[in-house]
Amino acid sequence: SASDELLPRIWEMCKNGVRYGSQGGFLDCPSREKGVYLGDALIASHSHLVLTGDGSLTKKTLKDFQLSQRICPGIMAVAPGSFCQEIAEFSLQWPMALKNYYRYTGDRAFIEEMVDAAFDGLYGYFARFEGPDGLLTGMTEKRVLVDWPDNLRDGYDYDYAKERENTVLNAFYYASLCTAAELMQELGRSGADYEARAARVKAAFAERLLDAETGLFVDAPGSKHSSLHANALPLCFGLVAEENVAKVVALIREKRLSCGVYIAPFVIEACYRAGESELAYDLITSRDEHSWHEMLKHGATTCMEVWGPDQKWNTSWCHPWSSSPIYLIAERVMGLTPGKPGWETIRFEPHVPASLDEAMVTIPIPQGFVTARFLRDSGFTVTAPPGGEVDVHIDGVAVDVRHAISHAHGTLSDAQLAFLDNHGWVERVGDGLGVWVSIPDQMLRIIQGGELVWQAACSTAEKGAGSEMDSLKTPLGWHSVKEKFGDDASWGQIFRSKQAQSAKWRPGTPVAEDLVLTRLLALTGEERGKNQGGNVDSYARNIYIHGTNDEARIGAPASHGCIRLTNDDVILAYDRIPKGCTVLISDGE
């Protein structure tokens, strides 16, 4: 959620692209005919890891590409399958995808297996095309793509650079070698050979590819053209000398996203690397012709292959290589990245632009979930599972680090399962999704098929359990969610009589009133005479699940009859609990 309405629309479109693209074969790829492009997989798998926390598809994809070394030791650009369309820089991106997988999963054994199986063949293959200075040249066995389609290459001196030291190819070569060195060191091995080869490439960039007059890189030695691609990629990967960074940034500011969607995240990452976070955010949310907004403008519901349908005659309308805003928003804007592999620690380094007044993102991690929330007038809140270490890297802004059970995985005990069984849970809910509010332990739990899906500390009535009108007590028994309010509401939005008000509550603001905030789910009783009808009607009593201004007392009975959650948790609950969902409120367990 965000105050910039375009941001969640882009997120949703890209999320759908990953979801349906993955199922259609972009990662799992059941088709023996075609396979998946490695360049697609680098971006799509990164977004998939952010969205799901599940590394299984990425692991399978990485293994499939490693197995393609039986055909080409340099790793095929498309796998698995018989569709041979070799692209040199795609093959070089395989270690980069491997590193992303490791960062998110911490699967050290698989990394070691892949490094041992692949690195000698991959880098031995490309060593055949190294010139005397270390730059790749004469690459004819694999095509150099630069970008796709060709009308989105910013006038790249493509034909001239074909069999020369292509700047884009060599930028990826440098990044790949650096990644290989990092992974070797992570495994406790020497990465000196890869470091030395990378150092040679970097020196050759400065000597042979830099236009000394402009401070920009050209598309190939001898070319007079300095494209966006030939400069943004080197800036992204750390190849631009400090004295030339401002010149490359000026080029990006002028050219903007005069590239394809595939190269766009590297351009945006280059801006972040240069400390230009405002420009980076402007490019993510741009309304230019080359923008994710352009896809939305044409009615896209999943991210497309190109910015608009007129840019490629047979463009795909579901292409997860365009899903990079998922990880750019989560990692760069909201600042959530693995501090150590497998999220052993959580690194928080946000880059919220001046135009964004509030935003919130929640992503899965192996231990549960982590949420980053920003409110312009009160700063950042990061909520992690209990025991999760948050490493904060931002100065001059308040950061409230919290740990909540709602952000951890959990299970139901045998006693809890027996309690639900005795109360007729299976008869009422079956294998479907239901909500259980337990007054004794002040917990709200979402359960499906006997499994705990999510849980959060709550606050029921200070005066205890009861169903009478004006009793200020929490009603017991079976209920259901009759109405939901707050789909697009801001964090802290005040509701009165189920209507969103213009006012918002902010932490630290003293208010005597018991406010209904952020989201509300109105409950109706399902048991006649107990919580339905007459003087005991839960719906007429306005019994809600809602956010509150009394967050400090969550976990203890403090409400006036409703079920309170923290404002962060009510957003998470609201998204998980559908209208019509069955709710049990009990005074046992």
Side-chain angles (χ1 to χ4, degrees):
S1 62
S3 57
D4 182 344
E5 64 176 18
L6 183 56
L7 206 62
R9 289 179 66 204
I10 291 172
W11 177 282
E12 188 68 20
M13 176 179 67
C14 292
K15 181 179 76 172
N16 288 339
V18 174
R19 176 187 298 161
Y20 298 113
S22 298
Q23 291 176 353
F26 284 95
L27 288 174
D28 197 23
C29 203
S31 169
R32 292 179 299 167
E33 296 293 322
K34 188 166 183 178
V36 58
Y37 286 87
L38 224 173
D40 295 44
L42 174 67
I43 295 168
S45 65
H46 196 164
S47 296
H48 190 270
L49 287 165
V50 170
L51 285 170
T52 69
D54 180 1
S56 57
L57 285 178
T58 301
K59 183 175 184 177
K60 178 188 183 302
T61 301
L62 289 164
K63 181 65 175 178
D64 285 342
F65 278 103
Q66 186 276 313
L67 291 174
S68 77
Q69 289 185 296
R70 298 172 181 175
I71 301 168
C72 172
I75 295 183
M76 296 179 70
V78 181
S82 58
F83 183 68
C84 291
Q85 191 176 118
E86 289 303 275
I87 298 171
E89 58 265 51
F90 280 14
S91 299
L92 291 167
Q93 290 167 16
W94 183 84
M96 299 160 72
L98 187 66
K99 178 184 172 182
N100 282 337
Y101 171 79
Y102 181 52
R103 288 171 60 230
Y104 272 82
T105 67
D107 187 352
R108 184 185 176 92
F110 180 70
I111 300 306
E112 190 160 18
E113 175 192 342
M114 290 296 95
V115 165
D116 287 342
F119 274 19
D120 286 349
L122 173 63
Y123 293 107
Y125 174 86
F126 279 97
R128 294 166 42 209
F129 299 93
E130 284 185 2
D133 55 8
L135 293 175
L136 299 179
T137 186
M139 176 56 68
T140 55
E141 289 186 9
K142 293 177 182 277
R143 178 165 65 109
V144 179
L145 183 70
V146 174
D147 206 349
W148 185 254
D150 55 9
N151 57 313
L152 294 177
R153 290 181 181 141
D154 188 37
Y156 201 92
D157 207 345
Y158 187 79
D159 289 333
Y160 175 83
K162 238 177 201 178
E163 296 184 19
R164 293 178 172 82
E165 294 86 345
N166 185 295
T167 303
V168 164
L169 174 63
N170 280 285
F172 277 115
Y173 190 40
Y174 175 79
S176 188
L177 289 166
C178 290
T179 302
E182 288 179 44
L183 289 173
M184 292 292 284
Q185 290 161 7
E186 187 67 36
L187 295 174
R189 305 178 185 180
S190 172
D193 178 57
Y194 299 113
E195 288 176 343
R197 289 168 71 176
R200 290 181 68 214
V201 172
K202 187 171 186 176
F205 253 80
E207 181 180 343
R208 302 201 53 215
L209 295 170
L210 183 68
D211 184 327
E213 292 184 11
T214 64
L216 300 174
F217 291 117
V218 293
D219 297 346
S223 172
K224 301 299 181 183
H225 188 254
S226 295
S227 64
L228 173 70
H229 301 64
N231 287 276
L233 287 165
L235 180 59
C236 178
F237 299 140
L239 283 160
V240 178
E242 186 63 34
E243 63 269 19
N244 291 327
V245 168
K247 296 170 185 175
V248 176
V249 169
L251 181 72
I252 295 173
R253 203 178 297 278
E254 172 196 346
K255 300 271 191 177
R256 297 181 66 77
L257 295 180
S258 54
C259 59
V261 192
Y262 150 64
I263 288 294
F266 300 104
V267 178
I268 294 167
E269 288 279 16
C271 295
Y272 281 116
R273 183 173 186 125
E276 297 287 342
S277 59
E278 291 287 337
L279 176 57
Y281 184 80
D282 181 40
L283 294 176
I284 295 171
T285 57
S286 164
R287 293 174 184 263
D288 297 345
E289 183 182 357
H290 289 190
S291 67
W292 284 275
H293 173 265
E294 184 74 7
M295 300 181 195
L296 290 165
K297 190 176 82 171
H298 285 282
T301 56
T302 66
C303 50
M304 298 170 59
E305 182 182 5
V306 291
W307 304 116
D310 296 335
Q311 294 169 9
K312 185 171 179 284
W313 71 271
N314 63 341
T315 187
S316 161
W317 285 73
C318 182
H319 217 77
W321 83 339
S322 302
S323 66
S324 57
I326 295 293
Y327 62 80
L328 292 169
I329 293 167
E331 294 186 349
R332 290 300 200 167
V333 178
M334 298 306 291
L336 293 174
T337 55
K340 294 180 181 177
W343 295 93
E344 192 175 318
T345 64
I346 299 163
R347 182 181 176 91
F348 181 61
E349 187 177 5
H351 300 87
V352 173
S355 61
L356 195 60
D357 291 328
E358 61 181 82
M360 178 174 168
V361 66
T362 297
I363 59 174
I365 62 175
Q367 301 83 356
F369 303 90
V370 59
T371 294
R373 170 169 49 82
F374 172 73
L375 300 173
R376 177 65 59 187
D377 47 10
S378 56
F380 293 95
T381 300
V382 180
T383 307
E389 180 184 337
V390 179
D391 190 11
V392 176
H393 290 263
I394 183 171
D395 297 321
V397 182
V399 180
D400 179 14
V401 175
R402 302 177 180 179
H403 296 87
I405 196 169
S406 61
H407 284 61
H409 296 308
T411 58
L412 295 171
S413 68
D414 290 342
Q416 289 168 336
L417 289 169
F419 177 87
L420 292 175
D421 188 52
N422 290 336
H423 279 71
W425 183 274
V426 173
E427 291 77 13
R428 289 270 187 171
V429 184
D431 288 332
L433 186 143
V435 176
W436 174 29
V437 178
S438 173
I439 291 177
D441 59 8
Q442 294 292 289
M443 292 292 293
L444 180 149
R445 299 181 175 95
I446 300 176
I447 300 164
Q448 185 166 28
E451 299 291 333
L452 181 63
V453 174
W454 183 78
Q455 63 181 338
C458 66
S459 180
T460 59
E462 188 172 22
K463 294 190 175 184
S467 300
E468 297 81 9
M469 188 71 71
D470 300 323
S471 66
L472 302 182
K473 296 180 179 181
T474 297
L476 296 175
W478 291 99
H479 291 74
S480 64
V481 177
K482 185 177 179 68
E483 297 167 321
K484 295 175 63 175
F485 300 90
D487 284 14
D488 301 313
S490 298
W491 190 99
Q493 189 94 52
I494 296 173
F495 286 81
R496 292 192 174 92
S497 300
K498 303 176 184 174
Q499 298 296 314
Q501 308 296 297
S502 58
K504 302 172 188 175
W505 176 81
R506 288 294 181 255
T509 305
V511 180
E513 182 183 358
D514 173 22
L515 295 176
V516 175
L517 301 178
T518 308
R519 304 281 190 277
L520 73 91
L521 300 92
L523 302 183
T524 185
E526 296 290 342
E527 297 182 78
R528 190 78 183 169
K530 181 174 182 178
N531 52 37
Q532 181 191 88
N535 195 43
V536 295
D537 193 278
S538 293
Y539 183 71
R541 291 183 59 208
N542 295 317
I543 300 299
Y544 308 148
I545 299 170
H546 67 84
T548 179
N549 55 312
D550 197 7
E551 291 190 322
R553 293 205 287 171
I554 293 293
S559 83
H560 295 164
C562 290
I563 297 104
R564 297 175 179 172
L565 296 172
T566 68
N567 293 287
D568 286 349
D569 284 346
V570 80
I571 292 173
L572 299 177
Y574 189 92
D575 291 341
R576 288 167 169 80
I577 301 172
K579 186 177 176 180
C581 183
T582 301
V583 179
L584 172 64
I585 305 174
S586 75
D587 59 356
E589 285 297 323

